[in-house]
Amino acid sequence: MQKISIVVAVSSNGVIGRDGDMPWKLSTDLKRFKALTMGKPLVMGRKTFESFGSKPLPGRPHIVVSRRAKLDMPAVETAINLEDALLKARQQAQALGVDEICVIGGGEIYAQALPLADILHVTHVNAVIENGDTFFPPIDSDCFDVLSEEAVPAGEKDSYATRYVVYGRQKTI
Ligand SMILES: NC(=O)c1ccc[n+]([C@@H]2O[C@H](COP(=O)([O-])OP(=O)(O)OC[C@H]3O[C@@H](n4cnc5c(N)ncnc54)[C@H](OP(=O)(O)O)[C@@H]3O)[C@@H](O)[C@H]2O)c1
């Protein structure tokens, strides 16, 4: 069974989005996002897909979740709920020979996927963001362990310094 990974960037006060976009520019993190997700199926909500101009990111199959019966999105696969999306993502992963599915947002989809996730790739953004309207749920330390951690200073094209943390779900015996 493929791992379900969540990939997210979140501020110190839990914000991931504002006005349909991300409230920062993090070029260094985008590069890591690209390397991490390349070749793997991406599951996302309809609003997140629209937030990058409804244009698929190259080299990664997209599965876009929407309750709408008719979505005019010919460039991507659509799914009627998260369960349907994960099923389709698993089929894509199998066909591609990869062992990971990446759930890439936004707030609604993260909230539903967190209980199912095996791995969390979290970019903790060192900032308190005012007027955020989309949030990531708190990470329960009774469920997830820190597997690795890396401080990343703000580069020229980064709004803030970050801390990249990989969390793994605790194994139940
Ligand atoms: N910081 C980060 O790492 C990060 C990553 C991704 C996104 N974001 C930000 O997050 C914000 C978007 O997040 P969001 O919470 O507003 O929207 P979202 O989760 O991207 O998409 C929500 C939409 O997904 C569909 N959906 C959700 N649950 C569903 C279900 N169970 N069954 C069927 N369809 C379902 C619905 O689409 P329909 O309305 O079409 O039915 C819903 O309106 C933006 O600001 C974006 O920039 C941040």
Side-chain angles (χ1 to χ4, degrees):
M1 202 70 141
Q2 302 95 348
K3 285 179 298 209
I4 298 177
S5 293
I6 281 181
V7 188
V8 63
V10 57
S11 76
S12 322
N13 57 330
V15 172
I16 63 161
R18 188 172 58 198
D19 301 330
D21 205 351
M22 286 195 251
W24 45 66
K25 295 276 178 252
L26 294 172
S27 175
T28 308
D29 197 56
L30 282 182
K31 285 187 192 125
R32 187 205 347 270
F33 176 88
K34 186 175 178 186
L36 180 68
T37 59
M38 190 51 72
K40 298 170 189 167
L42 305 183
V43 170
M44 73 205 77
R46 190 259 309 162
K47 291 182 187 172
T48 291
F49 183 58
E50 288 181 352
S51 79
F52 35 85
S54 300
K55 235 179 94 186
L57 306 170
R60 289 147 280 188
H62 291 40
I63 297 105
V64 177
V65 189
S66 171
R67 295 184 181 87
R68 297 179 187 182
K70 285 193 179 164
L71 264 187
D72 188 19
M73 291 183 175
V76 296
E77 192 165 0
T78 56
I80 52 160
N81 54 39
L82 182 63
E83 194 187 4
D84 182 34
L86 292 174
L87 188 70
K88 287 173 171 166
R90 287 198 190 286
Q91 289 165 350
Q92 294 266 13
Q94 197 165 11
L96 291 164
V98 294
D99 66 353
E100 189 175 21
I101 291 163
C102 298
V103 177
I104 63 154
E108 286 186 38
I109 296 300
Y110 286 140
Q112 296 167 60
L114 186 57
L116 308 172
D118 302 297
I119 304 279
L120 313 177
H121 296 271
V122 183
T123 298
H124 291 281
V125 181
N126 293 352
V128 173
I129 301 293
E130 303 297 338
N131 307 320
D133 55 27
T134 318
F135 297 83
F136 192 78
I139 297 169
D140 186 349
S141 59
D142 287 341
C143 297
F144 290 97
D145 290 327
V146 172
L147 303 183
S148 68
E149 194 165 0
E150 181 193 348
V152 182
E156 253 179 44
K157 295 183 184 167
D158 300 324
S159 315
Y160 305 105
T162 61
R163 192 166 47 89
Y164 172 59
V165 183
V166 180
Y167 298 86
R169 182 174 292 282
Q170 289 171 7
K171 303 257 184 295
T172 46
I173 303 165

